[in-house]
Amino acid sequence: MGKNLLELKSLDVSEILSILDQAQAFHDGQDFRGLEGRIAANLFFEPSTRTQYSFHVAEEKLGLRVVSFNPAGSSLQKNESFYDTVKTFDSFGVDLLVIRHVENEYYNQLIGRVNAKILNGGDGTGNHPTQSLLDLLTIRQQFGGFEGLKAAIIGDVSHSRVAHTNFEVMGRLGMEVCTSGPEEYMEQGMNFKPFEQAVRESDIVMLLRVQHERHSQKMGLTVEEYHSRYGMDKKKLDWMKKDAILMHPAPFNRGVEIADDAVECGRSRIFKQMNNGVFVRMAAIKRALCD
Ligand code: CP
């Protein structure tokens, strides 16, 4: 049994809440036995620090053995394909494949063709389910629930799998979500609001990195212009509602979308998000291999 975790939009709300409940239990110290000796392969075809290594920590905490993958030292360099690389690890008999890849919905080519359970560590600009879950856990810890909360997702929305995943799931959980940022990075149908209004009205201000590596054209603003118009700094922090929090999936670019002052200010939950990532990923692994 067990279940892949590929995208949140195919999970109903009760299942999402159940993963968050399990993650919270792990956060609160719940012990879990039963996965000792199972093997996970973390296949990151795109760079990652938080997702890759917090999965590794989560796997270690649950007693799994972990195979890490280095694309630069693999037969990808001899033109082996993504599909054949994944099939190779599956042939080794690993129990779990954690995969990040540049192609949206890369997992469609794997479903029904691998035996191991797949956890999506991010596909292109499409989905980042465990990031969204850790964002939701952080929000629920802060506010006790989701219904009626207002969130602003600000920055390079169109290239962000975090924005796409959160916009969809937060709406289903009863939150009111808007987006803001440079026009070149906005998408139709994602409730655009001017930056200052978005910051002033929201309970959650979620900043995004400008993802230059996904751009076909150079950004139309200089770094200084971006920071001045859309970067969170000391002055703009004062625009936020009294109990509002600041989030960012990271990696963040200090001096671009966020100033030094804001990274570790009292409102910031950025490092709490990273901490919660371990517990959410433990819950995803348990669901994949046990439930
Ligand atoms: N938030 C996130 O996905 O970070 P990494 O790219 O470092 O995994």
Side-chain angles (χ1 to χ4, degrees), residues 99-116:
I99 303 176
R100 171 176 287 188
H101 193 265
V102 68
E103 186 182 322
N104 284 28
E105 299 183 7
Y106 66 79
Y107 39 78
N108 287 337
Q109 62 189 291
L110 303 173
I111 302 305
R113 293 183 165 161
V114 295
N115 294 311

Side-chain angles (χ1 to χ4, degrees), residues 47-52 100 128 131 249-251:
S48 167
T49 297
R50 273 143 293 276
T51 312
Q52 180 171 199
R100 171 176 287 188
H128 198 345
Q131 177 68 46

Side-chain angles (χ1 to χ4, degrees), residues 44 46-54 100 121-122 128 130-131 134 161-162 209 248-251 274 281:
F44 281 70
E46 275 194 337
S48 167
T49 297
R50 273 143 293 276
T51 312
Q52 180 171 199
Y53 295 103
S54 67
R100 171 176 287 188
H128 198 345
T130 57
Q131 177 68 46
L134 73 88
R161 52 191 170 221
V162 178
R209 180 176 67 90
H248 193 311
M274 295 179 201
R281 288 168 180 132

Side-chain angles (χ1 to χ4, degrees), residues 71-81:
S74 77
S75 288
L76 285 174
Q77 305 308 320
K78 296 181 269 185
N79 292 328
E80 190 165 34
S81 67

Side-chain angles (χ1 to χ4, degrees), residues 8 86 88 98 132 173 186 200 232 273 285:
L8 291 189
V86 176
T88 299
V98 181
S132 265
L173 289 166
M186 293 300 100
R200 286 191 183 279
M232 187 53 68
Q273 289 171 265
I285 293 163

Side-chain angles (χ1 to χ4, degrees), residues 152-166:
I153 304 176
I154 297 173
D156 186 358
V157 170
S158 58
H159 298 98
S160 172
R161 52 191 170 221
V162 178
H164 295 138
T165 311
N166 273 335

